[in-house]
């Protein structure tokens, strides 16, 4: 019986994959499988994974014939996973020895749908702790209660799939798959759906995942058109939340978060190529016009003057839903 499946996508991370694979070795046990998904790597990652498939206990190697992106690679891993519990790790990050065993014991003891954890941010040789924005620890909570309040950072603003562990019943209910083809912000609709539809969760002060920042091949460091998929991701959040029975309460949070992400990208718009920057402006204008305007007005009125002014200027630009859909 496989107790835990750890889904680990890889794409062109030959510099970092050895650390990741060594950390999996340090977490191996007889009832754990590591689903390694090679998302059509074109560097030495492929050969590292072929060796891992032979040497890493519990390794299951799956290779994409075409690059599909992180969301698609995670879905491939989920489809192959056999464990009663599931976890994620990215191919350029690593886990502390025994991390998954520790987390498995916690989720079994708490008997909840999923647990969320803190993590360590690794920037070069520097380390810093990032806490999940959930104050009550080691206590089973109702996930949708952790979405609000709208004006504060909450659990849905901490979307990292690898910062936690999940029961298989969530996968069986269709709550763990990501929106196929999203190339960035793929975890935003995912975390919102998880908090709206799961029944129980807990936050624990476990530090076991090391998230590597500043990786040149990471999409967070690449300013191309793929970054604009955040529009599609948050459109999905708005649409699905609007259909929720608690839409009146939850939509202000979704709209405010969407606005904050738009403002964030526009604050750094100079890093985009001119054509991508123009598309960002047009898509953002269309997105703001699609939002529920009464809720948008309240969100802008509650923001600081600089961000609110920026968003109002963006909204006045020409833009259409048809352009955004393209």
């Amino acid at each position: 019986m496989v107790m835990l499946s750890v889904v680990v996508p890889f794409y062109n991370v030959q510099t970092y994959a050895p650390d990741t694979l060594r950390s999996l070795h340090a977490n191996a046990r007889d009832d754990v499988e590591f689903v390694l998904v090679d998302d059509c790597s074109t560097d030495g990652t492929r050969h590292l994974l072929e060796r891992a498939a032979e040497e890493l206990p519990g390794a299951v190697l799956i290779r994409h014939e075409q690059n599909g992106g992180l969301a698609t690679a995670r879905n491939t891993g989920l489809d192959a996973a056999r464990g009663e519990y599931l976890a994620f790790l990215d191919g350029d990050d690593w886990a502390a020895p025994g991390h998954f065993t520790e987390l498995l014991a916690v989720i079994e003891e708490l008997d909840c749908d999923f647990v969320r954890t803190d993590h360590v941010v690794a920037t070069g040789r520097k380390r810093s702790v990032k806490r999940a924005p959930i104050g009550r620890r080691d206590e089973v909570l109702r996930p949708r209660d952790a979405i609000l309040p709208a004006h504060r950072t909450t659990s849905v603003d901490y979307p990292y799939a690898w910062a936690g562990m999940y029961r298989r019943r969530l996968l069986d209910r269709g709550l763990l798959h990501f929106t196929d083809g999203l190339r960035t912000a793929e975890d935003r609709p995912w975390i919102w759906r998880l908090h709206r539809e799961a029944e129980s969760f807990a936050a624990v002060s476990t530090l076991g995942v090391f998230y590597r920042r500043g990786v040149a091949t990471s999409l967070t460091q690449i300013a191309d058109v793929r970054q604009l998929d955040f529009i599609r991701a948050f459109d999905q959040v708005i649409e699905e939340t609007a259909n929720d029975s608690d839409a009146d309460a939850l939509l202000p949070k979704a709209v405010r978060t969407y606005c904050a992400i738009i403002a964030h990208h526009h604050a750094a718009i100079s890093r985009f190529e001119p054509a991508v920057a123009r598309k960002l402006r047009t898509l953002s204008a269309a997105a703001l016009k699609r939002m529920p305007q009464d809720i948008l007005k309240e969100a802008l009125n509650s923001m600081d003057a600089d961000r609110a002014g920026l968003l109002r200027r963006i909204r006045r630009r020409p833009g259409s839903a048809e352009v955004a859909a393209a």
Side-chain angles (χ1 to χ4, degrees), residues 111-128:
D111 192 26
C112 54
D113 282 344
F114 66 98
V115 294
R116 302 295 284 158
T117 71
D118 305 327
H119 69 274
V120 180
V121 178
T123 308
R125 294 181 178 276
K126 182 180 177 182
R127 303 288 183 266
S128 59

Side-chain angles (χ1 to χ4, degrees), residues 1 9 73 119 129 131 144 150 162 176 197 229 251 260 262 277 285 291 323:
M1 177 180 176
H119 69 274
V129 174
R131 299 290 184 187
R144 70 170 49 223
W162 35 258
L176 288 187
E197 300 188 29
D229 272 8
L251 267 176
I262 290 174
M291 294 179 197
V323 171

Side-chain angles (χ1 to χ4, degrees), residues 269-280:
I269 201 168
S270 60
R271 72 191 185 105
F272 292 100
E273 291 293 326
V276 179
R278 287 194 296 271
K279 188 169 186 179
L280 171 60

Side-chain angles (χ1 to χ4, degrees), residues 266 269 274 276-286 314 317-319:
H266 279 262
I269 201 168
V276 179
R278 287 194 296 271
K279 188 169 186 179
L280 171 60
R281 294 186 183 99
T282 301
L283 294 180
S284 298
I314 295 169
R317 288 182 56 85

Side-chain angles (χ1 to χ4, degrees), residues 27-96:
N27 277 273
R29 49 186 252 187
D30 291 343
D31 57 354
V32 172
E33 68 174 4
F34 303 108
V35 185
L36 314 177
V37 183
D38 180 9
D39 195 19
C40 198
S41 295
T42 57
D43 65 357
T45 302
R46 173 174 181 167
H47 302 296
L48 292 170
L49 295 180
E50 288 173 349
R51 183 186 305 170
E54 298 176 356
E55 299 177 356
L56 174 63
V60 178
L61 177 58
I62 303 172
R63 179 171 292 116
H64 283 172
E65 294 301 320
Q66 294 182 330
N67 178 259
L70 180 59
T72 301
R74 283 176 174 166
N75 288 344
T76 295
L78 288 171
D79 289 340
R82 298 174 296 157
E84 291 299 307
Y85 297 87
L86 300 110
F88 300 92
L89 190 68
D90 285 352
D92 51 6
D93 299 332
W94 73 95

